[in-house]
Amino acid sequence: MNSLRQWWSLPVDYGWNVAYARSQQALHVTRILIGILCFVYAAAAVIALAIPGLGDSGPGQWALWSTIVTILPLGVAWLIGGWPSWRMSIAFVLYADIVLAAVLLTVDEPSEMLPMVALFTVMGSYVVGFHGPKVFTAYLFAFVTVAVLYASAMVDDPAQRLRTTLYLVMLILVMFSAPLICHSFLMLLRRDATGAFYDPLTGMQNRRGFDAAIGNLDRRPGTDAVVTAVVIDIDNFKAVNDRFGHEHGDTAIRLTASRILDVFPAPAVTVRLGGEEFAVVCLGGLDSVIERSEQLRIRLCDATDRSPLTASIGVAHAVVEARGVEAGIDELLGRADKAMYRAKRLGGDRVAQCSDPVPTSPADER
């Protein structure tokens, strides 16, 4: 029970999972495969409609036709669209499980449909890869479907009760035991792996995690985007350590990280670059980011804190090309870093905007 509780309470960062898959060049292939599987599901529904006696009932035909009509555009969206947000991903899981449960429960011949419940395992594989234990509650549809079909098959075909029970045992092994074991194992590995991507003091991403997350910015795939970078450096942090001790210095670093995350929540990408230096990369207009940077500067200098902090903040923005996101953002961070040092030279406790000209893309130069 203790192991089960630990598994259930494991934290899951959907954005990190997506970013990691993208950094390993696996996200595009996964998206294409999911799109293809949507078309395979539609083909299976068409075949079921053509089988005499299988989809003759009114509810069964309605469920099969609904599957065909809705899953075809969904497959196209997976093939040509970007990776879904967390909410859209959850909606996809619920849609797939509800539609599959509706088809299996309304189509005739429950004894023939019972083995088909194993199709829930396909969506279970998706949940294993990108979501946490709590999303397995969507398997409620699988539990209900198995129970209803098993009961119906036992009543309608009493001569085959032993075979029906064998189907049930096999389904429990395939649908529930295997995904749960795989998911718990992957979650434990992922928990250890995240130590390489997150700063243990603040919980923010470190530079390696930041590089992996950059490709997960919520932008349209294949298009250029206006990106703004912010570099934050605490002023005179050595004096804080010298006066209050390193333990309090760690507390101040954690507090700074918390306030940065409050002002720049996801989908902004945040990172602790090292020491007392942080960075943020986000989409959006320059004016909005400068306004939030000023809010952060004011929040850091809170008179109620034991050691109120000030920070030098540099801001830069540019149009980043879709084909060179990482290189473009590295250059953008360099410009924001220059602006931060300019704020320090002016006395700190201020927000400075990069005055360098925005680099032009090769297309602009032509």
Side-chain angles (χ1 to χ4, degrees):
M1 289 299 295
N2 186 52
S3 298
L4 185 61
R5 281 196 299 270
Q6 288 181 357
W7 171 76
W8 180 257
S9 61
L10 281 174
V12 176
D13 188 337
Y14 171 77
W16 182 87
N17 292 339
V18 173
Y20 182 75
R22 179 180 283 113
S23 70
Q24 301 302 310
Q25 309 301 315
L27 200 64
H28 178 71
V29 174
T30 303
R31 183 170 55 82
I32 298 300
L33 287 176
I34 293 174
I36 293 173
L37 287 175
C38 288
F39 291 119
V40 173
Y41 267 95
V46 171
I47 294 171
L49 282 170
I51 296 176
L54 192 61
D56 291 345
S57 68
Q61 286 192 347
W62 180 88
L64 289 169
W65 276 112
S66 297
T67 300
I68 296 169
V69 170
T70 57
I71 206 167
L72 287 174
L74 185 62
V76 172
W78 273 104
L79 290 175
I80 66 176
W83 193 266
S85 65
W86 179 84
R87 284 189 174 86
M88 292 301 295
S89 181
I90 294 296
F92 172 65
V93 172
L94 293 175
Y95 159 82
D97 284 350
I98 291 172
V99 167
L100 181 57
V103 169
L104 296 176
L105 292 173
T106 55
V107 172
D108 295 333
E109 304 296 336
S111 60
E112 293 185 22
M113 289 297 103
L114 185 59
M116 302 296 180
V117 182
L119 290 172
F120 279 103
T121 309
V122 178
M123 186 52 60
S125 301
Y126 175 83
V127 173
V128 165
F130 294 97
H131 287 285
K134 295 178 179 62
V135 182
F136 268 108
T137 54
Y139 254 45
L140 172 66
F141 298 105
F143 277 111
V144 172
T145 304
V146 169
V148 172
L149 288 177
Y150 176 71
S152 300
M154 294 290 280
V155 171
D156 294 348
D157 196 359
Q160 299 295 330
R161 287 181 176 177
L162 190 59
R163 185 183 65 176
T164 301
T165 303
L166 176 62
Y167 285 158
L168 178 65
V169 173
M170 298 303 294
L171 283 172
I172 291 173
L173 290 174
V174 172
M175 290 179 54
F176 306 115
S177 301
L180 287 174
I181 292 171
C182 292
H183 192 272
S184 58
F185 182 68
L186 284 175
M187 291 294 295
L188 291 172
L189 289 177
R190 193 173 290 157
R191 183 184 63 180
D192 293 338
T194 54
F197 288 82
Y198 288 87
D199 171 48
L201 179 62
T202 63
M204 297 178 78
Q205 294 175 105
N206 58 22
R207 186 57 197 248
R208 185 177 179 184
F210 178 77
D211 291 339
I214 282 300
N216 198 40
L217 283 171
D218 190 15
R219 59 186 181 86
R220 292 181 59 188
T223 60
D224 299 345
V226 177
V227 181
T228 305
V230 182
V231 174
I232 305 117
D233 190 271
I234 302 174
D235 296 325
N236 301 316
F237 187 70
K238 184 177 181 300
V240 175
N241 277 331
D242 292 343
R243 181 178 178 184
F244 298 99
H246 288 282
E247 183 176 349
H248 176 75
D250 289 346
T251 301
I253 290 290
R254 284 194 293 267
L255 182 61
T256 300
S258 175
R259 289 172 179 173
I260 291 172
L261 291 170
D262 286 343
V263 176
F264 292 98
V269 180
T270 54
V271 57
R272 183 187 179 197
L273 295 174
E276 65 272 21
E277 189 171 5
F278 304 83
V280 180
V281 173
C282 53
L283 302 176
L286 178 64
D287 292 341
S288 171
V289 175
I290 289 179
E291 180 179 347
R292 284 191 283 170
S293 299
E294 284 288 353
Q295 293 175 6
L296 175 63
R297 183 189 65 82
I298 294 170
R299 289 192 63 180
L300 289 177
C301 191
D302 190 333
T304 62
D305 292 342
R306 182 183 177 189
S307 57
L309 302 174
T310 65
S312 299
I313 303 175
V315 182
H317 81 295
V319 176
V320 175
E321 292 184 350
R323 290 178 296 178
V325 173
E326 288 80 6
I329 288 179
D330 281 343
E331 182 178 6
L332 187 60
L333 281 171
R335 295 173 57 228
D337 195 56
K338 290 180 181 179
M340 182 272 293
Y341 278 109
R342 186 160 64 89
K344 279 198 177 297
R345 289 194 298 270
L346 293 173
D349 192 21
R350 68 188 65 224
V351 176
Q353 180 183 345
C354 180
S355 58
D356 294 344
V358 177
T360 57
S361 67
D364 294 333
E365 292 175 355
R366 287 194 297 268

